[in-house]
Amino acid sequence: EKENTNNEAAQKGGGEEIGSARPFDDTDHIRGDKNAPVKIIIYSDFECPFCANFSDTVKEAEKEFGDKIAVIFRHFPLPFHRNAIPAAVASECAAEQGKFWEFHDALFANQSKLKEADLAAHAQALALDEKSFQSCLVSGKFKSKIEADVQQAIKLGVAGTPAFFVNGVFLNGAQPQTEFEKVIDRQLALLGNRPSTRSAPSAAGLR
């Protein structure tokens, strides 16, 4: 398993059909309209620098395409990233208090600060209930959810991060902005839609 850089799929602006990621459900973290015509499922690692860069790319695409896309985050912590699993668990503990995406952004913005004390500091900065957050971390109750994400990703051919599915089309690596948007454009065209610039998803579309 490895971090992905731009690869052949990125250069072609294409991808491959390798099977279907499971449909999103209430256990997923979704940003945007769940009924959006294009759904982007991202397998990511909070300690992966390419993932942090690609997170910025995704945010730009959200500004460009607005409610035509929805982003679904799933975990794929790489084994050589010692802080990736604790960070993933912490993000789920933040989600319990309704702050997954805020915690997600804080982790990617501060990748040098992923140790236990740093995670607690992020929670404090986001005004989370610190006792509940720490209790959640110690319990380890979300490790099985994270492992389930990893196992499904492996079955789908994911071997590194970031990896993502755009309406089922699999792409590897941190795509350049223009190439990523071409993939979204292609999916919209297949559905008879055309992209339009709209405002970014509202807080009501976050979970």
Side-chain angles (χ1 to χ4, degrees), residues 16-27:
E16 58 177 322
E17 295 279 5
I18 65 165
S20 298
R22 68 170 174 79
F24 69 88
D25 58 32
D26 288 341
T27 68

Side-chain angles (χ1 to χ4, degrees), residues 15-194:
E16 58 177 322
E17 295 279 5
I18 65 165
S20 298
R22 68 170 174 79
F24 69 88
D25 58 32
D26 288 341
T27 68
D28 282 311
H29 307 294
I30 305 167
R31 188 162 62 194
D33 185 348
K34 67 180 181 179
N35 297 313
V38 174
K39 295 177 180 66
I40 303 164
I41 297 175
I42 301 172
Y43 286 92
S44 193
D45 172 327
F46 287 117
E47 199 170 351
C48 162
F50 300 110
C51 296
N53 291 338
F54 188 60
S55 179
D56 291 337
T57 299
V58 172
K59 286 182 181 179
E60 289 303 311
E62 289 176 295
K63 292 177 184 177
E64 173 66 24
F65 294 96
D67 60 6
K68 292 186 179 295
I69 67 174
V71 176
I72 296 103
F73 182 97
R74 290 179 185 166
H75 299 284
F76 198 76
L78 298 170
F80 52 85
H81 285 157
R82 63 184 301 178
N83 297 314
I85 291 178
V89 170
S91 74
E92 292 294 334
C93 292
E96 272 197 328
Q97 299 189 43
K99 292 287 184 73
F100 172 79
W101 290 103
E102 292 88 343
F103 207 86
H104 162 285
D105 291 348
L107 293 176
F108 277 139
N110 299 278
Q111 284 192 309
S112 65
K113 297 180 179 180
L114 298 179
K115 294 182 180 179
E116 184 177 349
D118 299 318
L119 299 175
H122 294 320
Q124 185 177 41
L126 291 171
L128 299 184
D129 181 292
E130 294 178 50
K131 184 176 180 180
S132 296
F133 180 79
Q134 288 297 333
S135 176
C136 177
L137 287 182
V138 171
S139 75
K141 62 184 176 179
F142 286 113
K143 287 185 178 179
S144 60
K145 175 186 178 181
I146 293 163
E147 182 59 23
D149 279 354
V150 169
Q151 291 305 315
Q152 198 217 17
I154 290 171
K155 289 179 182 178
L156 292 171
V158 174
T161 55
F164 59 101
F165 294 80
V166 181
N167 278 8
V169 178
F170 174 60
L171 293 106
N172 247 337
Q175 307 287 302
Q177 190 76 44
T178 54
E179 296 301 329
F180 183 51
E181 292 186 0
K182 282 180 184 177
V183 175
I184 298 170
D185 279 334
R186 186 175 296 113
Q187 291 303 311
L188 287 170
L190 288 172
L191 295 169
N193 287 272
R194 287 294 182 271

